[in-house]
């Protein structure tokens, strides 16, 4: 037997993706990390390229990935227990670091309990598998992340038990709630905290208020879920993300250790009963090995740092650099989307110009992400800039000068 015929068909499908503009580019390989020096923040070197690059496409908002305390914590945990758990959680694959991290992140989000996953993606899917039944109705924001969309699909509820409201449109959220069949027992309203391509945030205070007004209509109520993967750790007075910024607490918080915390893995924080249901019913938790103890130890240290004076300083530095970049764009007359978050979109509104600007920045040592049709609608072409705490005044000023020189 051979895969020859399959290969031909797959190559035709891949060619179609290229023609549609949806094919991913060749993956660049980072081969060197250059620590901050003088007025420069960290730089990166790519395989086959002599340039040193500023990364403005990194989710590591607090720049903790290379923090010596995280590296030391991961090293000590690895030397104590090894590099892998050797089993799933139910078959003695749970180590003391898994338990400590779950208690730590639950306390950080002010929830009774937590369960950790290999990613926020698998956390979203695991939650959907755990709290859905035949009488569950799901409602989501139109611009929700793919992991939420996949979670709503994997829950196996029929199409008529799903609603989508226009992005951050509270009147349309009410419409979706009004359209829920009276036979439904529970409603789940799920949304991103920070919409990662735009840098804007869900008005959780308004969402929770509206959902509360419908809660008594359903046997199990209306449950609010935020995926705050880009928010938690990255903004809010103490780094608690979108719930803190909006001064409102959704029922369930999903997040990641892989962005502001600088490590790896995801989590669900909620009531004890919800978390036990996740433990018992989430396929994406039950049937796969957990995070390594190194990941857990580093994540514990990251949360400790976030909750310290050092963490507050990192948040302050991040906000300063974010404000500097946003003001720089405004000074150049560039169009963006207002928001407090270090995701800063530059609306280019032209596919060719977006590609040209991404290449221009690359050739001048700056890594960014360009979003063009059909990934975004024609006229919404965007470059996403992501500010990190390690970026210096000189770094941001250099990028603004490059944008000013681009014609």
């Amino acid at each position: 037997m051979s895969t020859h015929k399959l290969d031909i068909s797959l190559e035709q499908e891949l060619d179609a993706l290229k023609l549609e503009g949806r094919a991913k580019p060749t993956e660049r390989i980072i081969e060197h990390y250059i620590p901050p020096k003088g007025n420069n923040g960290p730089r990166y070197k790519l395989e086959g390229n002599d340039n040193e690059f500023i990364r403005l496409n990194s989710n590591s908002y607090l720049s903790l990935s290379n923090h010596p305390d995280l590296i030391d914590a991961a090293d000590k945990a690895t030397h104590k227990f090894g590099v892998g758990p050797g089993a799933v959680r139910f078959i003695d694959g749970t180590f003391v670091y898994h338990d400590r991290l779950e208690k730590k992140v639950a306390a950080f989000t002010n929830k009774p309990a937590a369960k950790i996953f290999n990613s926020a993606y698998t956390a979203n899917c695991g939650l959907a598998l755990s709290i859905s039944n035949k009488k569950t109705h799901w409602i989501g924001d139109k611009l929700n992340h793919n992991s939420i969309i996949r979670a709503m699909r994997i829950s196996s509820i029929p199409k008529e038990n799903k609603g989508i409201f226009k992005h951050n449109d509270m009147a349309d959220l009410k419409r979706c709630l009004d359209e829920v069949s009276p036979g439904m027992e529970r409603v789940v309203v799920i949304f991103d905290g920070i919409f990662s391509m735009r840098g804007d945030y869900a008005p959780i205070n308004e969402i929770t208020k509206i959902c509360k007004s419908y809660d008594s209509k359903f046997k199990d109520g209306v449950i609010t879920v935020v995926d705050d993967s880009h928010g938690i750790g990255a903004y809010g007075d103490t780094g608690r993300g979108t719930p803190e910024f909006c001064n409102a607490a959704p029922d369930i918080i999903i997040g990641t250790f892989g962005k502001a915390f600088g490590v790896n893995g995801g989590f669900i924080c909620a009531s004890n009963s919800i978390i036990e249901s996740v433990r018992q019913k989430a396929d994406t938790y039950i049937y796969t090995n957990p995070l390594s103890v190194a990941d857990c130890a580093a994540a514990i240290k990251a949360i400790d740092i976030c909750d310290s004076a050092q963490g507050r300083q990192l948040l302050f530095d991040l906000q300063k650099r974010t404000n500097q970049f946003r003001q720089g764009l405004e000074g150049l007359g560039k169009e963006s989307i207002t928001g407090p978050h270090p995701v800063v979109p530059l609306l280019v509104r032209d596919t060719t110009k977006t590609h040209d600007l991404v290449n221009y920045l690359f050739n001048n040592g700056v890594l960014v992400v360009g979003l063009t049709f059909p990934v975004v609608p024609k006229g919404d072409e965007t470059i996403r800039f992501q500010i990190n705490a390690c970026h210096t005044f000189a770094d941001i000023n250099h990028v603004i000068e490059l944008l000013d020189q681009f014609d």
Side-chain angles (χ1 to χ4, degrees):
M1 300 295 290
S2 167
T3 65
H4 177 67
K5 290 188 289 185
L6 174 61
D7 291 341
I8 292 173
S9 293
L10 291 178
E11 286 167 8
Q12 290 171 349
E13 293 172 16
L14 293 170
D15 288 340
L17 285 177
K18 293 176 183 177
L19 288 173
E20 294 167 8
R22 296 192 294 125
K24 302 292 186 294
T26 301
E27 295 174 13
R28 298 186 291 239
I29 299 173
I30 296 174
E31 62 177 2
H32 289 298
Y33 168 78
I34 303 169
K37 184 178 180 180
N39 292 326
N40 290 342
R43 298 292 190 266
Y44 297 82
K45 296 201 72 172
L46 303 178
E47 188 176 79
N49 193 305
D50 291 331
N51 285 344
E52 295 181 0
F53 289 91
I54 302 172
R55 287 194 69 186
L56 280 172
N57 59 357
S58 169
N59 299 318
S60 187
Y61 300 115
L62 294 180
S63 302
L64 292 176
S65 297
N66 296 92
H67 195 291
D69 290 354
L70 270 68
I71 295 171
D72 182 60
D75 183 63
K76 287 178 178 176
T78 300
H79 278 87
K80 186 173 183 179
F81 288 116
V83 296
V88 298
R89 294 284 296 267
F90 285 93
I91 309 178
D92 295 324
T94 298
F95 289 74
V96 64
Y97 287 101
H98 298 111
D99 182 62
R100 288 177 186 170
L101 178 55
E102 286 169 345
K103 290 174 179 175
K104 179 72 69 174
V105 74
F108 189 80
T109 58
N110 196 31
K111 294 295 182 185
K115 193 53 60 182
I116 57 175
F117 286 74
N118 287 318
S119 66
Y121 201 111
T122 54
N124 274 319
C125 293
L127 178 71
L129 291 166
S130 304
I131 65 172
S132 296
N133 62 21
K134 293 180 180 179
K135 294 187 176 181
T136 303
H137 189 101
W138 283 74
I139 297 173
D141 188 290
K142 184 178 181 180
L143 296 187
N144 275 345
H145 187 267
N146 177 272
S147 61
I148 297 176
I149 296 169
R150 183 64 62 185
M152 291 174 69
R153 290 174 180 168
I154 206 173
S155 64
S156 298
I157 58 175
K159 185 177 181 180
E160 58 268 22
N161 287 14
K162 299 176 186 178
I164 303 296
F165 62 95
K166 297 173 184 175
H167 178 54
N168 280 351
D169 188 323
M170 297 301 98
D172 207 40
L173 171 59
K174 289 181 181 179
R175 175 192 61 79
C176 288
L177 286 162
D178 286 333
E179 291 178 355
V180 178
S181 168
M184 291 295 102
E185 292 182 348
R186 68 186 69 154
V187 177
V188 181
V189 177
I190 188 167
F191 45 90
D192 280 299
I194 289 292
F195 294 86
S196 61
M197 297 300 170
R198 299 167 50 87
D200 58 348
Y201 63 92
I204 300 181
N205 52 331
E206 298 178 44
I207 292 172
T208 53
K209 183 178 179 180
I210 290 169
C211 290
K212 185 177 181 181
S213 69
Y214 285 81
D215 191 68
S216 62
K217 292 181 62 176
F218 307 98
K219 173 180 171 289
D220 296 334
V222 180
I223 311 304
T224 52
V225 183
V226 63
D227 179 342
D228 206 30
S229 291
H230 283 269
I232 193 162
Y235 81 130
D237 289 344
T238 65
R240 263 65 178 184
T242 312
E244 181 176 50
F245 184 81
C246 294
N247 193 28
D251 299 302
I252 301 172
I253 296 175
I254 292 171
T256 182
F257 303 113
K259 294 182 171 56
F261 293 130
V263 193
N264 191 33
F267 59 84
I268 302 171
C269 295
S271 69
N272 286 298
S273 296
I274 290 172
I275 294 304
E276 179 61 13
S277 294
V278 167
R279 194 178 78 88
Q280 296 289 347
K281 298 165 66 177
D283 291 358
T284 54
Y285 172 82
I286 297 169
Y287 297 107
T288 186
N289 277 6
L291 293 173
S292 71
V293 292
D295 283 322
C296 293
I300 291 167
K301 180 58 66 175
I303 295 173
D304 285 341
I305 290 173
C306 288
D307 234 4
S308 69
Q310 182 184 174
R312 302 291 186 274
Q313 185 62 50
L314 287 170
L315 268 178
F316 179 71
D317 293 342
L318 176 60
Q319 193 61 58
K320 277 200 306 183
R321 296 288 75 81
T322 300
N323 290 339
Q324 179 191 352
F325 188 68
R326 287 187 178 277
Q327 290 167 10
L329 290 182
E330 184 178 349
L332 296 177
K334 303 292 186 182
E335 183 183 4
S336 186
I337 297 173
T338 301
H341 193 268
V343 166
V344 185
L346 171 60
L347 300 176
V348 182
R349 301 196 181 281
D350 179 88
T351 293
T352 300
K353 189 174 182 180
T354 299
H355 288 310
D356 289 345
L357 181 49
V358 169
N359 290 332
Y360 163 78
L361 290 171
F362 178 83
N363 291 333
N364 283 276
V366 180
L367 301 176
V368 296
V369 173
L371 306 168
T372 58
F373 179 81
V375 177
V376 296
K378 287 184 177 180
D380 286 349
E381 292 86 354
T382 303
I383 293 177
R384 181 178 70 172
F385 294 88
Q386 291 170 279
I387 311 304
N388 292 179
C390 64
H391 292 139
T392 65
F393 177 88
D395 291 339
I396 300 300
N397 195 50
H398 173 63
V399 176
I400 293 296
E401 289 177 350
L402 287 175
L403 291 173
D404 188 31
Q405 294 164 11
F406 177 75
D407 185 18

